[in-house]
Amino acid sequence: MAKRSDVLEFAVLGLLHEAPMHGYELRKRLNATLGALRAFSYGSLYPCLKQLAASGFVTEQVEDSGTTGKRSRIVYQLTADGKEHFAALLDESGPSAWDDEGFGVHFAFFGRTDAATRLRILEGRRSRLEERVAGFRSAVSRSRERVDSYTLALHQHGLESVEREVRWLSELIDDERRSRPSQEPAAGTTDVRPPASGTATPPLRARREDH
Amino acid sequence: MAKRSDVLEFAVLGLLHEAPMHGYELRKRLNATLGALRAFSYGSLYPCLKQLAASGFVTEQVEDSGTTGKRSRIVYQLTADGKEHFAALLDESGPSAWDDEGFGVHFAFFGRTDAATRLRILEGRRSRLEERVAGFRSAVSRSRERVDSYTLALHQHGLESVEREVRWLSELIDDERRSRPSQEPAAGTTDVRPPASGTATPPLRARREDH
DNA sequence: GTTCCGATGTATCAGCCCGATACATCGCGC
DNA sequence: GCGCGATGTATCGGGCTGATACATCGGAAC
């Protein structure tokens, strides 16, 4: 369950809502949208696109650009079935939506996700991470018995990381609950673009989404 | 490079320093020592053990427990070659020691790692994560342009996580520097390792990250 | 006491996924 | 004109996982 390819399929359908695209650009957008969180390879993407076409969720359109064009590009466009399928996947709030594999992608499309579903996914994710916290806690106490300060430090750090993650989710859940009673007013209203506190965007050009 | 199986091999050799063990227990210890960070499967472990035996780093000893015993267990014990190999791997401080795959395991064995090597690995890890910080920063500013508050939140959170990781490493590096002001470790005092028969830890200086 | 069940233990395999690679064109600098 | 990096599509070997099979042991339930 919750295979990598399912997550990819979901992400592709979501991205194609913005515009028809061909594989190469799709991959760039994918790795840009998902940040450094996740990188999908061509070895997954192209088969995935073919499969989506076979399922009727997208159409394949070969584009030969005018007279001189030789470079072949295959533009994929969402079908009505595809939109419907994506809407169904958006509502899907099972475990696959909050495990490590799928949470990030589902979260990235929260803008198009129903409020109740958002809440369910956030809570599912949180409880998943709370299990992990428990695991780390026992690891910490276990490594406190043996005398290995480095292993202890490792576990302690891991524990704090996951706890921090849980806190983040709790804040998000509170926000959702606060704006839930009333019909939530578009997630972008208060977003007046603050003066970018400490991140003055220094040069920092280099970006390496490939290698 | 830096395959999963290499990391596993390293971890197994390290664990076998404590005591001879059979596969099942090895796996439990592995997943306990590494906390919730990492879980190795049998599908990797057993082939790895066989390969280690073939390389002469461990010996396979079938144990039939007394008269009634039927349950077959195969106890693996470290050889002199194995110890030597592990020592060499401990000194190895190339990129494979600080990428996502290998850093945790190397760190877990810092108690047996040379001080200079510890420092090099920590710094390598940090600079690796700083690259990731840069990636996240550009992702954040990119998603600030589009108006998608959820994607922005995701990137922002990811950025903070990695920055926190970098801070943690910086503290560790400071600690290392404080307890080891000069380049040479004080020979003989708190050295964990035995006098090391003939192989007195060859210098192994250079090693740059470029390929 | 026997029956069930989870832990202990070794081992394999289908299937998924990545990383590398191949092939081809374009636009740019020099 | 020539190299070189970006754009593009596509495939393949091989590593790794998760599931599964098989077998024994200790203890709890009743």
Side-chain angles (χ1 to χ4, degrees), chain A residues 3-5 39 41 43-44 70-71:
Chain A
K3 284 175 308 187
R4 202 83 204 267
S5 57
S41 61
S44 312
K70 287 296 169 34
R71 184 113 112 281

Side-chain angles (χ1 to χ4, degrees), chain B residues 6-107:
Chain B
D6 294 330
V7 178
L8 179 55
E9 180 180 308
F10 178 65
V12 165
L13 288 175
L15 273 191
L16 285 181
H17 270 76
E18 298 175 12
M21 266 181 265
H22 50 97
Y24 190 81
E25 191 179 357
L26 213 31
R27 184 183 188 261
K28 273 199 311 178
R29 298 285 222 99
L30 227 48
N31 294 341
T33 300
L34 300 181
L37 288 175
R38 171 147 277 122
F40 292 102
S41 62
Y42 290 123
S44 313
L45 180 58
Y46 284 113
C48 172
L49 284 170
K50 287 215 169 132
Q51 205 247 308
L52 283 175
S55 303
F57 297 144
V58 301
T59 56
E60 271 177 328
Q61 183 76 30
V62 177
E63 175 198 74
D64 36 17
S65 52
T67 54
T68 61
K70 286 295 168 35
R71 183 110 114 281
S72 64
R73 317 155 99 210
I74 304 176
V75 176
Y76 294 89
Q77 176 152 20
L78 212 55
T79 65
D81 270 10
K83 284 185 185 177
E84 205 175 313
H85 185 56
F86 182 69
L89 291 176
L90 269 183
D91 280 341
E92 185 188 299
S93 54
S96 67
W98 56 65
D99 65 8
D100 291 334
E101 217 50 68
F103 174 73
V105 175
H106 272 265
F107 188 84

Side-chain angles (χ1 to χ4, degrees), chain B residues 166-187:
Chain B
V166 168
R167 251 176 283 130
W168 179 65
L169 286 167
S170 292
E171 283 170 28
L172 289 172
I173 288 170
D174 286 348
D175 288 350
E176 291 287 340
R177 287 234 177 80
R178 213 168 296 130
S179 65
R180 194 189 60 91
S182 70
Q183 179 73 351
E184 290 299 321

Side-chain angles (χ1 to χ4, degrees), chain B residues 18 31 53 102 113 129 131 133:
Chain B
E18 298 175 12
N31 294 341
T113 305
L129 289 183
E131 290 170 23
V133 165

Side-chain angles (χ1 to χ4, degrees), chain A residues 171-201:
Chain A
E171 283 169 28
L172 289 172
I173 289 170
D174 286 347
D175 289 349
E176 292 287 341
R177 288 235 176 81
R178 214 167 295 131
S179 63
R180 229 268 254 199
S182 64
Q183 203 64 335
E184 39 89 34
T189 45
T190 58
D191 189 13
V192 199
R193 205 179 300 189
S197 53
T199 64
T201 318

